[in-house]
Amino acid sequence: MEFKVTHRCHTTRARVSRMVLAHGETALPTFMPVATQAAIKGLTPEQVESLGITLILNNTYHLNLRPGVDVLKAAGGAHLFEGWRHNMLTDSGGFQLVSLSKFTTITEKGALFSSPFTGESTILTPEESISIQHAIGADIIMQLDDVGEYISISRYIGPRVEEAMERSIRWLDRCIQQHESSGQKHTQNLFAIVQGGLNPSLRDKCLDGMLERKDRVSGYAIGGLSGGEEKDVFWRIIKQCADRLPEDRPRYAMGIGFAEDLLVCVALGIDMADCVFPTRTARFGVALTHTGPMNLTLGKYAKDFDTIDSMCPCLTCRDGTSRALLHHIVTHETAAAHALTIHNIVFQAQVMGRARDAIIAGTFPDYLRSFFASYFGDRGYPEWCVAALRSVGVDLLENSNIPMVSGGGAKWEYSDAA
Amino acid sequence: MSSSISFDLSSSDPSPNDSKFGPRVAKLMIRKITIDTPGILACTSRGVVPHLSRDNVIRTKGIRWIHVPFESFLEHKPPVPTFQPQQGQSPRINSFLRFSEDDYLLSVSLRDPGDGRKMPANTNTFVTANCIRGVRKVTPNDWRSYMIPCNPDIVFSLSDIPLTPPPYSQKRLTKSIERSALWLADILRPSESISDTRNARPNPSNVFVQMAGSASAPARSAFADSLVEILHSQEAIAIQPLKCLDEGVAGYVFDMVPLRLALKGVGDVSPDSLTFKSLFQASLSALPRNKPRLVTSVRGPHETLRLIRDVGIDLFDTHWAQQAANFGVALDFSFPTPSTGSGKRDLGHNLYDAMYTRDFTSIMGTRDTIPPTSCLCAACSPYSTPSSEIISHSSVDGHSIGSDSPSPPYTKAFLHHLLHTHEMSAYSLLVMHNITVMDAFFAGIRDLIPQNGTSLFQAEIQRFFETYVEDTDRDNTTGGDESSNVFKAGEKAWAEVELLRGKGRLTRESEKEKAESAAAANEVLKKEMKEKGVEGGSEAALTVPLAPDGDIVVG
């Protein structure tokens, strides 16, 4: 991997960098759409490429199940199998194993899964996870980490968190070992994942351990923060990790997708993020815009002949597809899901692309201010956003008559009829 | 504002016999668009080609003529497309649905011609139509009030097509003929009211009529007669300056779905080609040959070839091909047919089948000793956007390597994977492919029709029938014969995947487990019964019953 920071924001911790992998160049910071089962849902790789996307995420858990490692090997890897010619990142499979199944127990050896029906047990070890990711052939691969409990307070606090964090460091070593002995070291790049729940001292401990391995990993992810935790805690953990992670390694916030979350993370020094949110919400009929999400299932759009966003470069908008037509087809026709998926992917890419340009031009704080004003102007800035940005020198409230509101602040659009 | 279509048959020399019904090549033109016939029209649902986003419609060159059933818009009264702001010269319906009038011809009917579900009966004053909020009654006035502002290139006049269970009495057929003629007259009359003429021409200029008469040749003849009959007094004044209804008719439509339904009521006889031939010739005998003939819901290429050969049909919708995509069937046939030694083959591949798990050939990849056909669809010849047209999000966007070089075709193995994981992109790829196969099929037909005089065309038709297994009435294929109809196999596989959709790996395993245990238990039971000499032997074995929650019921 070639990784070089090319520009830095003079106020915040944001930076623009250039990452060159085996399948091409990707400009950072960027957002990665998720192609769960070897496809961005509803779109062909040609379509995704035409939207200016150069890096997508594939799920190891799903690909290992279907089509399976044998088929992928016979195809020559996931790129060839699914027809995606640019960069790809795979996660380790650990998260889904826990989130999608009640029958998984984490042991030191690996994640043990027992099927209650077939009685058969399979174990996903760090070595096995890396080996599957080798067969998939993604340009960036993730260590298998111990994600702790899923949906439980003990995910965030308590002895299980410490155990998971310590184990993640040991598993990182095993992943490094497997990766280095595979011969794939120079085409595929291994990232470590910082764990430690919401406990700053555990996070510090994890950072200590993982930074020692700096020369043997290509990048660092911050894990354990996509489970709906308090936003005010979330940004502090991101900041803590980003402050300590090396400047010359890409930083990846896993499972982050809301525009406001992305921009706060970028301001704190994050370079990449992935999430199913924009593509999933598209399938539910919601278009993302710079003034907030637009729920096209609502009756108020039935006779609205404007496009979603007249300035949007996506084909759905450029071609003049009206909100009225979209309202008529959303949730009824797959073509509606495709139209909105295209739009939302472009929206996310625009948010990040404008961030890059602003950082280069030295106007990133202004970009933050104008984005947040446009997005939250009608409701008020979420408190946590104000605090997070203040910590890096940007005060949203300065010279603004938009109030601050408490709470997570996630925007949604409801029916007027309610 | 409106444009007339022209239908130019000049390239076809009528042969001495059956000049009216022989195969013919023509050009149908409107504005800058030329449709070569015999040719195709694509079907839509709720105004869009199912599964295709805008860019994929553009990528599929076979889509030039688009048919839109209007009924889904009846949710709102007045329907939303009538409110579309006028944009330049573009007909409102084109603007609303984003089919540029420079590239696409739009035809509109009230009902979906492919929808044969039972409907409440029409009356003298209205037609019943289906929208998501239920049945709507549409009067001829309503229809005018929708079609005049929407201004599609081609409007189907309202017709009374019975969709109640057959058989249809003489009385019912007479009503059908009379109402359809009356309603045709209604759409043809010039408008008097100011509001009608506010935005568009006084009446739709390109009206197609659905040929009434159902499965009765005399009824069909009578309907055709009523079209060419010179009208008198009041009726004549109403449609001035036209002297007869046919003068205002731009094309004739034959709907296969209600016809097949009607023929079921005539007896157990499965409709054969002779039946359709005689019925359609009965409709067309009295009518001029120089107007386009359109068939909706034709069932596949065999029926298509017969209708071209025996009746001289010019246009067919791609309903069958689009439906095949929904069931995971990728079409793979061409006309003329490349020669092959081995026996009959299927018209396509049921990509759900396990045999494709590791098949990394393209959809129309090598088969037997036949070289691959070069299919230009987005699945077989993926079209990569040139670098200059890729959306740029910043001044330092990552540059893609080699996006200007062609990509390899999508493989059967990948489509197989997409189908089993219920990914929507499977359908997008298959629809684009299937419509493209149909487009190439018709190009082959157009090339050969001029050879009709040398009987080469007829010989090729024969060879096509001998090479490919026809998709006959799927309801009539017997149980054990499922595999003989690749479409039926696809439907079955689709249903299985659909049932397990979204339920995840554990449910899939448990369902499989239960099915296997039930089958195993059944075997044991049968064995025991056989041993014990139970009456009826193993044939009397009962299936192990499953309780509603899927657990095996004991005792």
Side-chain angles (χ1 to χ4, degrees):
Chain A
M1 170 198 283
E2 266 176 55
F3 176 76
K4 184 164 190 283
V5 176
T6 56
H7 300 81
R8 284 186 169 74
C9 174
H10 44 60
T11 309
T12 69
R13 315 269 302 169
R15 73 262 189 90
V16 167
S17 47
R18 188 172 165 264
M19 181 169 69
V20 182
L21 303 165
H23 287 87
E25 193 183 313
T26 294
L28 304 179
T30 194
F31 173 78
M32 286 183 282
V34 179
T36 309
Q37 295 185 119
I40 302 280
K41 290 193 188 300
L43 303 184
T44 64
E46 282 72 46
Q47 289 177 289
V48 177
E49 176 187 65
S50 73
L51 303 180
I53 305 300
T54 60
L55 173 59
I56 62 173
L57 183 145
N58 269 15
N59 285 118
T60 297
Y61 172 85
H62 292 282
L63 289 184
N64 186 37
L65 225 46
R66 299 184 290 192
V69 164
D70 291 337
V71 173
L72 285 169
K73 279 187 175 152
H79 282 89
L80 290 174
F81 182 64
E82 67 194 74
W84 175 249
R85 304 200 284 186
H86 308 290
N87 291 325
M88 184 194 292
L89 181 152
T90 45
D91 63 346
S92 61
F95 184 74
Q96 273 86 29
L97 211 49
V98 172
S99 70
L100 294 180
S101 163
K102 319 189 263 278
F103 302 103
T104 306
T105 6
I106 315 249
T107 67
E108 184 58 31
K109 195 148 177 266
L112 182 69
F113 169 74
S114 304
S115 168
F117 304 106
T118 63
E120 150 210 7
S121 43
T122 43
I123 186 161
L124 183 68
T125 60
E127 291 79 9
E128 178 72 7
S129 167
I130 296 298
S131 160
I132 296 169
Q133 293 183 73
H134 283 151
I136 293 172
D139 305 280
I140 297 175
I141 64 178
M142 305 302 297
Q143 71 156 114
L144 184 67
D145 52 343
D146 181 349
V147 300
E149 300 300 314
Y150 184 72
I151 305 281
S152 149
I153 194 68
S154 56
R155 182 174 187 216
Y156 300 112
I157 56 175
R160 182 73 186 93
V161 185
E162 177 153 19
E163 181 192 48
M165 181 274 287
E166 303 276 11
R167 182 170 293 138
S168 295
I169 301 178
R170 293 193 291 274
W171 281 4
L172 173 60
D173 283 337
R174 288 165 61 180
C175 288
I176 290 174
Q177 192 54 38
Q178 178 73 14
H179 185 51
E180 286 180 350
S181 59
S182 69
Q184 294 291 84
K185 213 170 89 117
H186 298 288
T187 45
Q188 296 181 271
N189 301 279
L190 177 65
F191 276 29
I193 305 178
V194 179
Q195 293 288 356
L198 304 179
N199 184 323
S201 66
L202 290 180
R203 286 278 174 179
D204 258 335
K205 248 184 125 183
C206 194
L207 284 160
D208 288 338
M210 293 193 173
L211 287 170
E212 272 175 35
R213 279 94 174 151
K214 181 194 161 190
D215 293 328
R216 302 169 83 192
V217 300
S218 307
Y220 287 93
I222 302 169
L225 287 178
S226 53
E229 58 285 324
E230 274 296 319
K231 277 301 200 310
D232 199 52
V233 181
F234 152 76
W235 79 261
R236 290 174 205 279
I237 301 287
I238 294 275
K239 180 163 182 18
Q240 178 192 4
C241 295
D243 281 351
R244 286 196 60 193
L245 287 170
E247 294 283 300
D248 61 349
R249 293 284 187 273
R251 296 95 169 271
Y252 166 26
M254 304 187 81
I256 306 301
F258 290 169
E260 64 269 31
D261 298 2
L262 287 171
L263 287 178
V264 165
C265 284
V266 168
L268 297 176
I270 294 300
D271 305 306
M272 6 188 318
D274 78 287
C275 196
V276 294
F277 167 68
T279 40
R280 183 177 289 171
T281 208
R283 299 192 296 277
F284 296 165
V286 178
L288 300 175
T289 75
H290 294 278
T291 52
M294 182 183 287
N295 182 354
L296 289 161
T297 63
L298 298 179
K300 66 193 210 186
Y301 295 113
K303 293 186 189 129
D304 186 343
F305 296 98
D306 286 336
T307 56
I308 296 168
D309 178 353
S310 58
M311 303 296 290
C312 175
C314 87
L315 187 65
T316 305
C317 293
R318 266 191 303 125
D319 199 56
T321 306
S322 65
R323 300 169 191 181
L325 176 58
L326 289 166
H327 172 81
H328 188 67
I329 55 178
V330 285
T331 75
H332 298 299
E333 292 293 327
T334 57
H338 307 333
L340 289 183
T341 299
I342 286 169
H343 172 81
N344 283 2
I345 286 180
V346 169
F347 172 77
Q348 300 284 109
Q350 284 279 290
V351 168
M352 298 304 258
R354 292 180 196 186
R356 293 194 291 275
D357 276 344
I359 295 166
I360 292 171
T363 56
F364 187 58
D366 295 323
Y367 174 60
L368 287 171
R369 273 188 273 268
S370 69
F371 177 87
F372 276 84
S374 165
Y375 205 76
F376 289 112
D378 57 339
R379 276 182 213 195
Y381 299 126
E383 207 172 346
W384 73 273
C385 293
V386 176
L389 292 177
R390 265 189 191 144
S391 80
V392 286
V394 176
D395 190 344
L396 289 177
L397 298 180
E398 192 184 337
N399 297 333
S400 165
N401 45 19
I402 297 167
M404 190 168 71
V405 293
S406 61
K411 281 192 78 171
W412 202 241
E413 193 179 19
Y414 297 98
S415 167
D416 294 333
Chain B
M1 186 78 92
S2 74
S3 311
S4 292
I5 60 172
S6 72
F7 185 63
D8 183 8
L9 271 173
S10 58
S11 50
S12 281
D13 297 321
S15 50
N17 301 322
D18 290 341
S19 60
K20 218 164 225 182
F21 306 120
R24 67 249 198 109
V25 167
K27 287 186 187 304
L28 189 148
M29 291 172 283
I30 184 169
R31 295 185 300 270
K32 302 178 192 166
I33 303 164
T34 301
I35 309 274
D36 292 306
T37 69
I40 56 176
L41 36 150
C43 300
T44 58
S45 169
R46 299 184 74 78
V48 295
V49 179
H51 309 301
L52 299 192
S53 52
R54 299 289 312 127
D55 52 334
N56 279 338
V57 170
I58 293 168
R59 282 187 179 92
T60 309
K61 305 300 176 196
I63 301 177
R64 288 173 219 97
W65 179 330
I66 293 175
H67 186 73
V68 178
F70 197 74
E71 57 188 344
S72 74
F73 300 114
L74 300 174
E75 276 175 56
H76 297 271
K77 201 167 180 174
V80 171
T82 62
F83 289 102
Q84 168 72 34
Q86 186 68 41
Q87 287 168 358
Q89 296 298 308
S90 177
R92 274 200 186 80
I93 188 81
N94 288 62
S95 297
F96 181 64
L97 298 177
R98 310 315 302 157
F99 293 119
S100 151
E101 75 275 16
D102 289 336
D103 301 315
Y104 300 102
L105 188 162
L106 243 61
S107 56
V108 176
S109 61
L110 171 65
R111 301 231 49 232
D112 177 1
D115 183 359
R117 290 174 297 177
K118 187 172 162 203
M119 286 291 282
N122 301 327
T123 68
N124 282 341
T125 48
F126 61 77
V127 176
T128 53
N130 231 347
C131 76
I132 211 149
R133 291 183 209 269
V135 174
R136 290 287 179 269
K137 299 172 184 172
V138 178
T139 66
N141 257 352
D142 290 331
W143 189 231
R144 282 180 71 93
S145 77
Y146 304 155
M147 289 298 99
I148 288 174
C150 285
N151 199 11
D153 299 323
I154 292 171
V155 173
F156 286 18
S157 62
L158 287 184
S159 53
D160 178 22
I161 299 175
L163 282 173
T164 46
Y168 307 125
S169 65
Q170 172 88 339
K171 199 168 162 194
R172 180 67 187 90
L173 289 178
T174 309
K175 267 198 256 183
S176 168
I177 295 167
E178 288 173 350
R179 286 174 188 165
S180 301
L182 213 61
W183 294 340
L184 171 61
D186 192 83
I187 198 91
L188 291 175
R189 69 177 160 78
S191 169
E192 306 105 3
S193 80
I194 299 165
S195 60
D196 260 5
T197 54
R198 162 179 55 109
N199 296 306
R201 50 180 150 51
N203 63 323
S205 60
N206 301 308
V207 175
F208 274 36
V209 62
Q210 290 166 287
M211 305 308 283
S214 194
S216 152
R220 286 190 163 261
S221 286
F223 182 68
D225 289 340
S226 72
L227 295 182
V228 291
E229 174 195 340
I230 308 286
L231 300 176
H232 300 287
S233 60
Q234 296 241 335
E235 292 171 332
I237 295 169
I239 62 163
Q240 264 180 355
L242 308 171
K243 293 199 205 60
C244 67
L245 294 175
D246 193 65
E247 280 186 20
V249 170
Y252 309 112
V253 181
F254 300 89
D255 299 298
M256 301 300 279
V257 163
L259 188 51
R260 283 190 208 114
L261 175 69
L263 284 167
K264 279 198 179 126
V266 166
D268 277 325
V269 175
S270 153
D272 63 5
S273 56
L274 290 176
T275 313
F276 293 131
K277 176 177 168 176
S278 61
L279 288 173
F280 294 169
Q281 288 191 0
S283 288
L284 289 168
S285 263
L287 299 172
R289 71 184 284 270
N290 64 343
K291 291 186 187 172
R293 304 148 178 188
L294 191 161
V295 161
T296 64
S297 303
V298 69
R299 187 194 283 137
H302 294 75
E303 195 168 74
T304 302
L305 286 167
R306 285 193 293 266
L307 289 170
I308 292 175
R309 180 190 66 193
D310 301 337
V311 185
I313 301 294
D314 308 298
L315 293 147
F316 298 83
D317 72 21
T318 52
H319 183 255
W320 174 84
Q322 289 172 263
Q323 260 303 87
N326 282 340
F327 295 129
V329 176
L331 299 177
D332 185 357
F333 59 85
S334 45
F335 184 86
T337 312
S339 44
T340 166
S342 47
K344 275 195 159 186
R345 36 195 171 110
D346 290 320
L347 288 166
H349 312 283
N350 162 22
L351 293 174
Y352 279 105
D353 198 300
M355 68 165 122
Y356 298 114
T357 312
R358 271 165 228 247
D359 185 339
F360 297 110
T361 59
S362 66
I363 292 175
M364 292 169 97
T366 48
R367 181 153 63 169
D368 302 325
T369 54
I370 303 154
T373 347
S374 48
C375 174
L376 297 175
C377 81
C380 299
S381 302
Y383 167 76
S384 230
T385 314
S387 310
S388 54
E389 287 170 28
I390 292 179
I391 299 178
S392 173
H393 302 286
S394 75
S395 56
V396 293
D397 269 22
H399 299 292
S400 24
I401 292 175
S403 59
D404 288 327
S405 59
S407 310
Y410 286 95
T411 60
K412 295 196 190 71
F414 184 55
L415 283 160
H416 171 83
H417 163 78
L418 291 176
L419 286 167
H420 278 280
T421 50
H422 204 268
E423 285 287 333
M424 293 185 282
S425 45
Y427 307 111
S428 311
L429 289 164
L430 288 174
V431 166
M432 291 192 284
H433 173 78
N434 286 359
I435 291 181
T436 304
V437 168
M438 293 310 297
D439 196 36
F441 172 68
F442 277 88
I445 290 174
R446 289 192 299 271
D447 279 344
L448 275 174
I449 285 177
Q451 300 285 350
N452 196 30
T454 64
S455 76
L456 180 59
F457 181 54
Q458 306 286 347
E460 286 296 342
I461 293 179
Q462 206 41 47
R463 224 150 62 77
F464 188 92
F465 289 174
E466 281 158 15
T467 310
Y468 296 103
V469 177
E470 181 166 355
D471 178 21
T472 49
D473 182 5
R474 294 173 205 171
D475 295 333
N476 273 341
T477 54
T478 52
D481 236 354
E482 263 160 23
S483 55
S484 72
N485 185 321
V486 72
F487 301 93
K488 189 146 176 152
E491 271 186 62
K492 181 163 184 272
W494 169 85
E496 283 166 358
V497 169
E498 189 71 12
L499 219 54
L500 286 175
R501 208 191 115 203
K503 294 189 178 118
R505 166 189 173 184
L506 290 187
T507 313
R508 290 198 303 273
E509 275 181 16
S510 83
E511 300 283 319
K512 197 173 160 207
E513 174 73 9
K514 279 172 190 155
E516 281 166 8
S517 334
N522 205 26
E523 284 307 310
V524 170
L525 202 61
K526 274 202 246 178
K527 199 168 159 215
E528 275 180 25
M529 288 173 77
K530 198 170 177 190
E531 281 164 12
K532 290 178 186 163
V534 168
E535 211 170 72
S538 54
E539 278 68 45
L542 304 161
T543 317
V544 176
L546 293 181
D549 66 358
D551 284 328
I552 296 169
V553 170
V554 174

